[in-house]
Amino acid sequence: MSFVNAVLSYGPGQESLEFRLHLRYEFLMLGIQHIIDKLRKHDNQTLDRHLDFFEMVRNEDEKEVARKYEQDQVDTKSTTAVFDLLRRKLSHTAAYPHLLSLLNHCLLLPCEYHNDINNE
């Protein structure tokens, strides 16, 4: 966790909210939240400080994103909330047709439905 926090908070991440968010989203996509949840079960003060720092900076960054888009909060865990924000942000810009094209192409992605999705 010390390494992850250092990667997020120093170098390019120190100056760039977008860079920190990009890296954090990558870590989250790779399953770091599941690992953090497991690490929380250990009774280790040093580890807990690193986990707390990760979550504190994450919360601060999400508040900054919300302020940037003039929102009280942005629920980055909600597809609908992120989509609505993107739609509002891009609705009257040259980027909107590209967003629509991206979404149209996403419709073509193969989907496999499992009976037991929650146990993966």
Side-chain angles (χ1 to χ4, degrees), residues 55-114:
E55 290 180 5
M56 178 192 71
V57 174
R58 179 182 182 182
N59 290 335
E60 288 175 1
D61 286 349
E62 288 181 0
K63 287 178 186 175
E64 182 64 29
V65 168
R67 279 193 296 274
K68 183 176 180 178
Y69 294 109
E70 299 174 354
Q71 302 286 314
D72 292 329
Q73 74 176 43
V74 175
D75 183 0
T76 58
K77 296 173 187 162
S78 165
T79 306
T80 304
V82 172
F83 172 74
D84 287 343
L85 183 60
L86 273 173
R87 187 173 42 80
R88 283 194 306 268
K89 176 183 175 186
L90 301 177
S91 66
H92 299 292
T93 70
Y96 187 78
H98 300 285
L99 172 64
L100 184 57
S101 176
L102 174 71
L103 294 171
N104 287 330
H105 283 87
C106 286
L107 289 173
L108 303 175
L109 290 173
C111 294
E112 294 183 26
Y113 295 96
H114 301 301

Side-chain angles (χ1 to χ4, degrees), residues 3 25 32 37 51 80 92 94 113-114:
F3 174 75
Y25 293 153
I32 198 170
D37 294 342
L51 297 171
T80 304
H92 299 292
Y113 295 96
H114 301 301

